[in-house]
Amino acid sequence: KTVAKVDMVNEKNKEPEIRTTAAGKNGEKKIEAAGKVTIVDTVSYFNLEVGKTYIMKGTLMNKATGKALTVGGKKVTAEKTFTAEDSAGSVTLDYAFDSYDLKGKTLVVYETLTDAKGAKLAEHRNKSDVSQQVTVLTPKLSTSAVGDADNSKSVTAEGDVTVTDYVRYTGLTAGQTYTLTGTLMDKSTKKAFVDADGNPVTATAELTAEAESGTATVTFTFNASSIKTGTKLIAFETLSTNGIEIADHKDINDIDQTVTVKAPVIGTTAVDAADG
């Protein structure tokens, strides 16, 4: 009986502890740099007093700087008041913020447990703890444009022609739908190319990422009959999701994005009209 009583006293006198695991809404450790996102931090607690009220407070930190993350000039914080139903359990804190300008950054969640009066009881602040970290993806595009004749780097200045742009992407979220928007540019003017009918040549394609990296195609079809031979067309691409542009590839000097307009080629065979 004496031993049992001592064990109960030791259990009651243990200091409160907390541990945290941060992730995106679906448990992912990498989130998009695309508008409003949410990080969910599951905070496990131990050695609390049953029936007592506590406050869990958290702040998102920039791992690289070791300072509190600011979005729009404000810190990203969360707070929850709860009553312990058992000495051990968990609560979740949601951090909602705009990730558009946070490409490539690793975010770390710092948590503090206080009593109802604000006295600190426990904290978990370790910027090297991967369980507390979430990384913002950096979407990137690279492209390679070809003409419609055996994937050549040219198109012929006659009739309707097709330029196909093969787009390689990285830093996307698997299962998420995106929109690729392409524009053909005239290298000599550095402006949007206008076809023989006076229309800018653009194209769009929807893609659902199967993985963080992959490929997609954007196809431009236009009337090339009156285009000056030697004109260099460069495919510019932008990537967006939910109406927000998150990446682009626009390099007027990129030869991989360039297709050249060539003159039509004719060949003749002369025969005698009488005997062929």
Side-chain angles (χ1 to χ4, degrees):
K1 291 182 179 178
T2 302
V3 173
K5 186 178 292 185
V6 170
D7 288 343
M8 291 177 63
V9 171
N10 288 340
E11 184 71 24
K12 186 174 181 180
N13 290 336
K14 283 185 177 180
E15 294 293 329
E17 297 179 16
I18 59 173
R19 302 170 192 166
T20 74
T21 302
K25 293 183 72 173
N26 298 314
E28 64 274 21
K29 297 296 285 183
K30 295 180 180 180
I31 59 176
E32 285 191 300
K36 289 292 183 182
V37 296
T38 299
I39 288 178
V40 179
D41 194 26
T42 301
V43 187
S44 300
Y45 57 78
F46 307 89
N47 309 322
L48 301 194
E49 187 175 333
V50 177
K52 188 174 180 179
T53 298
Y54 297 89
I55 302 173
M56 197 72 73
K57 298 179 180 180
T59 303
L60 277 187
M61 309 292 290
N62 184 335
K63 182 188 176 185
T65 65
K67 297 180 180 179
L69 178 74
T70 57
V71 177
K74 297 181 179 180
K75 295 180 180 180
V76 182
T77 62
E79 181 176 317
K80 181 172 289 186
T81 300
F82 67 99
T83 300
E85 297 181 356
D86 203 339
S87 62
S90 65
V91 295
T92 58
L93 297 182
D94 293 345
Y95 301 84
F97 57 99
D98 191 327
S99 65
Y100 183 78
D101 294 324
L102 303 178
K103 297 180 180 70
K105 287 182 170 55
T106 296
L107 313 179
V108 187
V109 182
Y110 281 9
E111 304 287 5
T112 302
L113 175 70
T114 73
D115 63 18
K117 295 181 180 180
K120 184 171 68 175
L121 302 175
E123 64 181 5
H124 191 49
R125 301 186 174 194
N126 180 1
K127 71 176 185 178
S128 298
D129 186 349
V130 295
S131 63
Q132 287 181 274
Q133 298 174 2
V134 175
T135 300
V136 182
L137 292 165
T138 304
K140 292 182 179 180
L141 301 178
S142 60
T143 73
S144 179
V146 297
D148 57 355
D150 300 323
N151 286 334
S152 68
K153 297 296 290 181
S154 63
V155 293
T156 304
E158 59 178 354
D160 289 338
V161 298
T162 298
V163 170
T164 301
D165 198 20
Y166 296 95
V167 183
R168 295 172 293 279
Y169 60 80
T170 60
L172 303 193
T173 299
Q176 177 71 28
T177 299
Y178 301 85
T179 301
L180 278 167
T181 303
T183 301
L184 284 187
M185 306 292 291
D186 186 331
K187 185 174 183 178
S188 63
T189 64
K190 295 181 173 59
K191 296 180 180 180
F193 169 71
V194 178
D195 68 9
D197 300 319
N199 301 313
V201 179
T202 62
T204 60
E206 298 290 324
L207 75 94
T208 299
E210 295 183 358
E212 187 176 326
S213 60
T215 59
T217 58
V218 178
T219 303
F220 305 87
T221 301
F222 56 99
N223 185 346
S225 58
S226 63
I227 301 173
K228 181 180 178 181
T229 58
T231 298
K232 294 185 180 299
L233 307 177
I234 298 90
F236 279 13
E237 300 288 355
T238 62
L239 179 73
S240 61
T241 181
N242 298 321
I244 300 172
E245 183 179 315
I246 59 173
D248 64 50
H249 189 50
K250 300 177 179 180
D251 183 356
I252 201 73
N253 296 311
D254 187 346
I255 59 174
D256 286 335
Q257 289 180 274
T258 303
V259 172
T260 303
V261 178
K262 67 179 182 179
V265 176
I266 61 173
T268 64
T269 300
V271 296
D272 184 276
D275 58 15

